[in-house]
Amino acid sequence: MKSENDMYTALIHGGIYGDELTGSVNVPIYQTSTYQQERLGHHKGYEYSRTGNPTRAALEALIAELEGGAAGYAFASGMAAVSAVLSLFETGDKILISSNVYGGTFRVLDKVFNQFGIAYSIEDTTDLEALESRVTPEVKAIWVESPANPLMTITDLRGVSRIARKKGIYTIVDNTFMTPYLQRPIQLGADIVVHSATKYLGGHSDLVAGLVVVSSEELSERIAFIQNSTGGVLGPFDSFLLIRGIKTLGVRMDRHVENANLAAEFLKKHKAVKKVYYPGLEESQGYEINRKQAKNGGAMISFELKENYNIETFFSSLRLIALAESLGGVESLICHPASMTHASIPEDIRRKVGITQGLIRLSIGIEGIGSILNDLEQAISKSEEK
Ligand SMILES: Cc1ncc(COP(=O)(O)O)c(C=O)c1O
């Protein structure tokens, strides 16, 4: 495990730092599709930018170092990264997924990979005994998010990895909500880590990107082949922006988490609030497990207002906090999972896993906490039905 000191340094100097050719402290944006070869069969390590690009390579080396993996790969979106990982599987294989998995991951499995004979089943990954009994011979991987979106459900990543190792299958962790600054799944036993880097890693809501980190050379070769074959790579400019975003990940996350703890306490004590879901609260599901596998509870909070508060009035009364998809940017965002991020999950499944109409998800930004709480307070008070 990296010490906090090493992690702060790696965020800024990790991977391929600067540029040997010119001394530029920042990795240049190599905006090129191709590379002149010296003579037949002799080049400087790059032939064509789908296969490899120096700016992307610097980002890929950086995320591999931060996650403690064998290699990293950068994609044009989180979903392109998810799809590349799912392309490891073949007809007849089955993947077990956490019940609160991101809606897009469910959709690509259900509507795209299912067409190619790759099956999935939705499991309660918090119950390790039940999960182990579900690993039948056709199961080739367990796909988890912890915390899982939007109820912030915590899964024991060491426990899942132990089961997967015993059964000879992969553990895949979507680490978008935590980032390697707060949680490093490969160190806990996972084989593959996936990110929507659009979120905290980018950090400024100004790019869409995805990352994959693998734990072994064998997986590295397979993902490199899939990346080059299917071609959903991240461009040089967005690779540069992502490297730039990652430099401040540590200081941003510290501030996000400080604000999130204060917001969770505020919501917990508020008379209008029925329930708060935040892994940083002692009474929350999986609190002890999260404490052992992550630095803290992160900065995503979900909550439900009591029945006598009108949720539509609440959303339309917010002035500072933007009603928007996505999360992890410096600005606070709010969303309604049932009609937004998780709309692609059928209603009966949504109900079964607890994604109610009244559920609200908050991505706490790094603004002054007073402004965030004032905005929540005035919108809650306007939404009360007398
Ligand atoms: C946990 C998680 N995984 C994957 C994705 C997909 O990423 P992208 O939107 O960058 O394609 C998202 C997007 O919201 C997400 O929240």
Side-chain angles (χ1 to χ4, degrees):
M1 187 78 190
K2 267 193 191 324
S3 71
E4 187 161 269
N5 184 58
D6 291 345
M7 177 55 90
Y8 272 119
T9 305
L11 288 167
I12 292 157
H13 298 276
I16 302 163
Y17 178 73
D19 182 43
E20 267 187 23
L21 211 60
T22 63
S24 157
V25 295
N26 285 309
V27 177
I29 303 166
Y30 284 92
Q31 193 71 45
T32 185
S33 62
T34 193
Y35 306 82
Q36 187 175 8
Q37 306 196 4
E38 288 155 23
R39 55 184 197 279
L40 277 180
H42 288 264
H43 54 76
K44 297 189 168 87
Y46 295 95
E47 296 165 89
Y48 186 59
S49 278
R50 168 160 41 75
T51 318
N53 171 282
T55 316
R56 195 176 89 225
L59 167 66
E60 293 176 330
L62 174 60
I63 192 64
E65 181 174 338
L66 297 178
E67 288 285 7
Y73 297 92
F75 293 87
S77 69
M79 285 318 301
V82 166
S83 301
V85 172
L86 292 175
S87 303
L88 289 167
F89 302 99
E90 55 190 57
T91 306
D93 289 351
K94 183 174 176 182
I95 301 165
L96 305 184
I97 59 172
S98 310
S99 50
N100 279 177
V101 84
Y102 170 62
T105 303
F106 168 82
R107 181 175 54 197
V108 80
L109 270 163
D110 189 53
K111 298 278 189 291
V112 181
F113 285 90
N114 220 359
Q115 294 184 115
F116 306 123
I118 296 164
Y120 69 90
S121 80
I122 301 171
E123 305 294 340
D124 175 4
T125 52
T126 64
D127 182 346
L128 292 181
E129 217 174 295
L131 182 67
E132 183 163 357
S133 73
R134 304 283 293 153
V135 184
T136 47
E138 66 277 19
V139 172
K140 295 296 184 307
I142 306 173
W143 186 294
V144 283
E145 290 176 29
S146 185
N149 189 19
L151 297 178
M152 309 310 150
T153 317
I154 299 298
T155 287
D156 179 349
L157 297 179
R158 281 192 189 87
V160 170
S161 304
R162 220 176 291 124
I163 293 170
R165 191 130 308 163
K166 192 161 99 187
K167 302 275 186 182
I169 64 172
Y170 293 133
T171 302
I172 304 165
V173 179
D174 183 331
N175 203 27
T176 300
F177 273 38
M178 282 309 204
T179 81
Y181 180 68
L182 299 185
Q183 175 171 276
R184 302 177 82 213
I186 290 175
Q187 318 305 298
L188 303 170
D191 302 286
I192 304 174
V193 170
V194 185
H195 283 284
S196 168
T198 313
K199 312 292 166 18
Y200 290 107
L201 291 172
H204 298 76
S205 306
D206 56 6
L207 73 109
V208 173
L211 297 168
V212 174
V213 180
V214 294
S215 61
S216 70
E217 288 306 325
E218 186 234 330
L219 276 170
S220 165
E221 270 177 37
R222 294 185 65 198
I223 294 288
F225 180 82
I226 290 166
Q227 185 191 44
N228 188 41
S229 304
T230 56
V233 294
L234 192 65
F237 184 66
D238 283 348
S239 296
F240 166 84
L241 270 185
L242 193 44
I243 293 170
R244 177 171 132 136
I246 289 173
K247 285 184 200 293
T248 57
L249 179 70
V251 286
R252 281 188 287 109
M253 288 314 286
D254 289 345
R255 169 79 174 193
H256 276 294
V257 173
E258 193 185 317
N259 277 356
N261 275 302
L262 294 168
E265 285 296 331
F266 164 84
L267 290 167
K268 190 175 104 175
K269 291 186 190 128
H270 204 291
K271 69 175 175 50
V273 176
K274 190 153 83 179
K275 189 159 170 60
V276 180
Y277 301 86
Y278 177 56
L281 291 175
E282 264 179 52
E283 64 273 26
S284 71
Q285 175 274 337
Y287 174 79
E288 277 305 322
I289 293 169
N290 188 63
R291 232 168 47 88
K292 288 184 194 140
Q293 66 190 18
K295 193 171 171 195
N296 52 49
M300 293 298 299
I301 301 173
S302 288
F303 64 98
E304 281 174 284
L305 288 176
K306 289 186 179 153
E307 280 72 22
N308 57 324
Y309 290 82
N310 184 305
I311 184 163
E312 284 183 23
T313 313
F314 168 75
F315 278 116
S316 58
S317 303
L318 289 163
R319 296 284 166 263
L320 172 76
I321 306 171
L323 173 63
E325 301 263 1
S326 205
L327 59 114
V330 289
E331 63 289 295
S332 295
L333 299 180
I334 201 157
C335 87
H336 182 236
S339 66
M340 296 168 74
T341 51
H342 289 65
S344 51
I345 298 178
E347 201 190 334
D348 56 324
I349 301 181
R350 274 205 313 264
R351 215 176 308 117
K352 214 164 92 189
V353 299
I355 304 170
T356 61
Q357 277 302 102
L359 191 72
I360 297 163
R361 190 189 78 180
L362 193 50
S363 170
I364 298 287
I366 64 171
E367 302 96 335
I369 188 64
S371 319
I372 297 173
L373 300 188
N374 284 343
D375 199 32
L376 288 170
E377 180 60 55
Q378 62 85 19
I380 290 174
S381 98
K382 281 188 190 129
S383 69
E384 186 174 7
E385 288 173 334
K386 306 249 162 59

